[in-house]
Coordinates of all heavy atoms in Angstrom, one line a residue:
M1 N 109.7 135.7 -38.3 CA 109.0 134.4 -38.0 C 107.8 134.2 -38.8 O 107.5 133.0 -39.2 CB 108.7 134.4 -36.5 CG 108.1 133.1 -36.0 SD 109.2 131.7 -36.0 CE 108.1 130.3 -36.1
N12 N 88.3 127.6 -51.0 CA 88.0 128.7 -51.9 C 89.2 129.3 -52.5 O 89.1 130.4 -53.2 CB 87.1 129.8 -51.2 CG 87.8 130.4 -50.0 OD1 88.9 130.0 -49.7 ND2 87.2 131.4 -49.4
D68 N 102.1 151.8 -37.7 CA 103.5 151.7 -37.4 C 104.3 151.0 -38.5 O 105.5 150.9 -38.4 CB 103.8 151.1 -36.1 CG 103.3 151.9 -34.9 OD1 103.0 153.1 -35.1 OD2 103.2 151.3 -33.8
T85 N 72.8 135.7 -30.9 CA 71.6 136.6 -30.8 C 71.4 137.3 -32.1 O 70.4 138.1 -32.2 CB 71.7 137.6 -29.7 OG1 73.0 138.3 -29.8 CG2 71.7 136.9 -28.3
P116 N 75.7 126.7 -33.8 CA 74.5 126.5 -34.6 C 73.2 126.8 -33.9 O 72.1 126.7 -34.5 CB 74.6 124.9 -34.8 CG 75.3 124.4 -33.6 CD 76.3 125.5 -33.3
Y144 N 69.9 127.5 -38.9 CA 71.2 128.0 -39.2 C 71.5 127.9 -40.7 O 72.4 128.7 -41.2 CB 72.3 127.1 -38.5 CG 72.2 125.6 -38.7 CD1 72.7 125.0 -39.8 CD2 71.6 124.8 -37.7 CE1 72.6 123.7 -40.0 CE2 71.5 123.4 -37.9 CZ 72.1 122.9 -39.1 OH 72.0 121.5 -39.3
G164 N 82.8 130.4 -42.5 CA 82.9 129.0 -41.9 C 81.9 128.9 -40.7 O 81.1 129.8 -40.4
Q172 N 75.0 118.4 -38.3 CA 74.8 119.8 -38.7 C 75.6 120.2 -39.8 O 75.2 120.9 -40.7 CB 75.0 120.7 -37.4 CG 74.0 120.5 -36.3 CD 74.4 121.0 -35.0 OE1 75.6 121.2 -34.7 NE2 73.5 121.3 -34.1
K174 N 76.9 118.3 -42.2 CA 76.5 117.6 -43.4 C 75.2 118.3 -43.9 O 75.1 118.5 -45.2 CB 76.2 116.1 -43.2 CG 77.5 115.3 -42.9 CD 77.1 113.9 -42.6 CE 78.4 113.0 -42.4 NZ 78.0 111.6 -42.0
L176 N 74.3 121.4 -43.6 CA 74.7 122.7 -44.1 C 75.3 122.5 -45.5 O 75.0 123.2 -46.5 CB 75.7 123.4 -43.2 CG 76.1 124.8 -43.7 CD1 74.9 125.7 -43.7 CD2 77.1 125.3 -42.7
Y207 N 85.4 116.5 -47.0 CA 84.7 117.6 -47.7 C 85.5 118.8 -48.0 O 85.0 119.8 -48.4 CB 83.5 118.0 -46.8 CG 82.4 117.0 -46.8 CD1 82.2 116.2 -45.7 CD2 81.5 116.8 -47.9 CE1 81.2 115.2 -45.6 CE2 80.5 115.9 -47.8 CZ 80.3 115.1 -46.7 OH 79.3 114.1 -46.7
Q237 N 102.5 111.7 -19.3 CA 102.9 111.0 -20.5 C 103.3 112.0 -21.6 O 104.2 111.7 -22.4 CB 101.8 110.0 -20.9 CG 101.5 108.9 -19.9 CD 100.4 108.0 -20.3 OE1 100.6 107.0 -20.9 NE2 99.2 108.5 -20.0
E240 N 106.8 113.2 -20.8 CA 107.8 112.2 -21.2 C 108.2 112.4 -22.7 O 109.3 112.4 -23.1 CB 107.4 110.8 -21.0 CG 107.3 110.4 -19.5 CD 106.8 109.0 -19.3 OE1 106.6 108.3 -20.3 OE2 106.6 108.6 -18.1
S269 N 99.2 135.9 -23.0 CA 99.5 137.3 -22.9 C 101.0 137.5 -22.6 O 101.5 138.6 -22.4 CB 98.7 137.9 -21.7 OG 97.3 137.9 -22.0
L279 N 107.2 128.4 -32.3 CA 108.4 127.5 -32.5 C 107.9 126.0 -32.5 O 108.7 125.1 -32.7 CB 109.5 127.7 -31.5 CG 110.2 129.1 -31.7 CD1 111.2 129.3 -30.5 CD2 110.9 129.1 -33.0
L281 N 106.3 124.8 -34.7 CA 106.2 124.4 -36.1 C 107.5 123.9 -36.7 O 107.5 123.4 -37.8 CB 105.6 125.6 -36.9 CG 104.2 126.0 -36.5 CD1 103.9 127.4 -37.2 CD2 103.2 125.0 -37.0
P319 N 78.2 111.9 -30.5 CA 79.6 111.8 -30.3 C 80.5 112.8 -31.0 O 81.5 113.3 -30.4 CB 79.9 110.4 -30.8 CG 78.6 109.6 -30.6 CD 77.6 110.6 -30.9

Side-chain angles (χ1 to χ4, degrees):
M1 184 67 204
N12 61 356
D68 292 345
T85 54
Y144 56 79
Q172 292 162 338
K174 288 177 182 178
L176 183 62
Y207 289 103
Q237 296 178 95
E240 288 177 8
S269 295
L279 291 174
L281 295 167

